[in-house]
Amino acid sequence: MGLKPMEVGVFLSSLGIGDRIQAVAKAKELGFLAIQTPPLSADWRTGAKKADLVQAIKDAGLYVSAVCAGFEGESYADIPTVQRTVGYVDAATVDERVQATIEYGDLAVELDSPVVTTHIGFVPEDQDDPVYARQLDATRRVCDGLAEKGLLFGLETGQEEALPQRRFIEAVARPNLKVNFDPANMILYGKQKPVEALEILRDYVFHVHCKDGRWPTEEGKLGTEVPLGEGEVDIPAYVAKLKEIGYTNVLTIEREGGSSRIPDVRQAKALLERLRDQG
Ligand code: MG
């Protein structure tokens, strides 16, 4: 791909620009060489606008470090809502979501991206819970469908602690199952210190988000996502830990909130480049 180790990239939706083509142009203008594509509506993903999006990314010379899948009907309003609506937890939607994830793989192939990532939803700690069996089966089907296209599948972290997540990955037992590590989610969901979690998942981390946040202060509520470097992740310690585990793939900036996305992303890029380049 011709990028330096730990190239700093951006999650396309973090720019706060609804038109995907304009967002691609903005990413390039900001000096990025790598992006992660966000969950896309059907027109961008499989419909009329797909070819334009692929062409715009190729024309801009951007490397797509990951393709993120998301599904209709998901909501991140608060923890119980996430639990109910996100990922492969509901028997009524699991089959269509497995299919959709595998379809995102077609986009990844067109974009020469190695991995599709997603949230599969809260994995129950009780392995006798029917939701656990459903997620296990769904994840295997997605892994197998993506393997046929030569792709990896990356689980986003943070909705459970790292050790149960690692056990789940080992139970799925598919060599193309990896982790998209998000340090802020560990905090936003009130789960675990990110650097500790990274140590536990180190063998499975293929791609990472660089996002910051503050711990929840109210039961059932998520913590607060904030600009990179202003939260409780400890970004210098996070980048140092990534170096220690030998991570060389893209550092993808993610910014979900706020009303000054572009300045926040610019500031995050400068911070990460400085931390990356210092001894
Ligand atoms: Mg993330």
Side-chain angles (χ1 to χ4, degrees), residues 164-211:
Q165 187 168 42
R166 193 176 82 192
R167 291 200 184 111
F168 178 80
I169 291 167
E170 288 165 356
V172 173
R174 291 296 189 273
N176 65 328
L177 184 59
K178 303 291 176 189
V179 162
N180 180 76
F181 191 86
D182 185 320
N185 287 348
M186 303 310 267
I187 287 177
L188 297 176
Y189 288 90
K191 289 298 176 184
Q192 198 169 16
K193 288 185 182 160
V195 171
E196 278 172 22
L198 184 53
E199 171 62 28
I200 292 167
L201 290 165
R202 60 188 288 164
D203 293 344
Y204 297 99
V205 173
F206 178 76
H207 188 257
V208 301
H209 285 168
C210 296
K211 186 171 90 187

Side-chain angles (χ1 to χ4, degrees), residues 223-279:
T224 310
E225 192 252 347
V226 298
L228 204 73
E230 296 180 17
E232 293 172 304
V233 166
D234 189 349
I235 299 299
Y238 175 55
V239 173
K241 183 70 185 174
L242 287 168
K243 288 181 186 175
E244 184 206 308
I245 69 169
Y247 181 84
T248 57
N249 200 0
V250 175
L251 303 174
T252 298
I253 295 166
E254 186 177 21
R255 176 77 173 113
E256 297 178 320
S259 55
S260 55
R261 299 288 191 91
I262 303 290
D264 291 350
V265 166
R266 260 188 222 277
Q267 177 191 306
K269 183 172 186 285
L271 173 63
L272 290 169
E273 287 172 348
R274 181 167 61 73
L275 293 170
R276 176 193 65 197
D277 295 338
Q278 79 190 14

Side-chain angles (χ1 to χ4, degrees), residues 45 69 100 118 151 164 240 258 268:
R45 184 163 60 86
T118 200
L151 298 168

Side-chain angles (χ1 to χ4, degrees):
M1 57 173 152
L3 301 180
K4 65 168 83 169
M6 297 179 115
E7 181 68 45
V8 177
V10 67
F11 199 96
L12 204 59
S13 52
S14 297
L15 299 173
I17 299 170
D19 183 281
R20 307 301 182 182
I21 307 281
Q22 285 176 26
V24 166
K26 192 68 182 178
K28 186 177 167 67
E29 183 196 315
L30 291 170
F32 287 103
L33 302 176
I35 58 167
Q36 178 174 11
T37 55
L40 298 167
S41 56
D43 53 344
W44 288 108
R45 184 163 60 86
T46 53
K49 295 176 176 172
K50 179 188 174 191
D52 293 343
L53 177 62
V54 170
Q55 197 58 48
I57 291 171
K58 292 198 167 171
D59 288 348
L62 293 170
Y63 173 67
V64 180
S65 58
V67 166
C68 182
F71 315 106
E72 257 171 60
E74 293 187 320
S75 165
Y76 291 85
D78 54 26
I79 290 176
T81 309
V82 173
Q83 218 146 12
R84 209 177 55 248
T85 65
V86 170
Y88 306 143
V89 299
D90 184 352
T93 56
V94 65
D95 287 341
E96 69 191 52
R97 289 182 177 188
V98 164
Q99 210 40 55
T101 316
I102 295 169
E103 275 173 22
Y104 270 94
D106 296 331
L107 181 65
V109 168
E110 280 192 56
L111 291 168
D112 296 318
S113 183
V115 62
V116 174
T117 65
T118 200
H119 284 283
I120 65 163
F122 282 93
V123 176
E125 298 213 10
D126 175 8
Q127 300 187 5
D128 294 327
D129 188 318
V131 171
Y132 182 91
R134 190 173 300 135
Q135 286 173 310
L136 191 70
D137 173 67
T139 305
R140 284 179 178 151
R141 284 188 283 153
V142 170
C143 285
D144 294 346
L146 293 177
E148 282 180 25
K149 302 176 201 285
L151 298 168
L152 304 173
F153 182 39
L155 303 182
E156 180 111 4
T157 57
Q159 292 173 349
E160 43 280 314
E161 288 188 23
L163 193 56
Q165 187 168 42
R166 193 176 82 192
R167 291 200 184 111
F168 178 80
I169 291 167
E170 288 165 356
V172 173
R174 291 296 189 273
N176 65 328
L177 184 59
K178 303 291 176 189
V179 162
N180 180 76
F181 191 86
D182 185 320
N185 287 348
M186 303 310 267
I187 287 177
L188 297 176
Y189 288 90
K191 289 298 176 184
Q192 198 169 16
K193 288 185 182 160
V195 171
E196 278 172 22
L198 184 53
E199 171 62 28
I200 292 167
L201 290 165
R202 60 188 288 164
D203 293 344
Y204 297 99
V205 173
F206 178 76
H207 188 257
V208 301
H209 285 168
C210 296
K211 186 171 90 187
D212 212 342
R214 300 201 183 106
W215 293 92
T217 52
E218 222 183 309
E219 190 68 28
K221 298 279 188 238
L222 288 156
T224 310
E225 192 252 347
V226 298
L228 204 73
E230 296 180 17
E232 293 172 304
V233 166
D234 189 349
I235 299 299
Y238 175 55
V239 173
K241 183 70 185 174
L242 287 168
K243 288 181 186 175
E244 184 206 308
I245 69 169
Y247 181 84
T248 57
N249 200 0
V250 175
L251 303 174
T252 298
I253 295 166
E254 186 177 21
R255 176 77 173 113
E256 297 178 320
S259 55
S260 55
R261 299 288 191 91
I262 303 290
D264 291 350
V265 166
R266 260 188 222 277
Q267 177 191 306
K269 183 172 186 285
L271 173 63
L272 290 169
E273 287 172 348
R274 181 167 61 73
L275 293 170
R276 176 193 65 197
D277 295 338
Q278 79 190 14

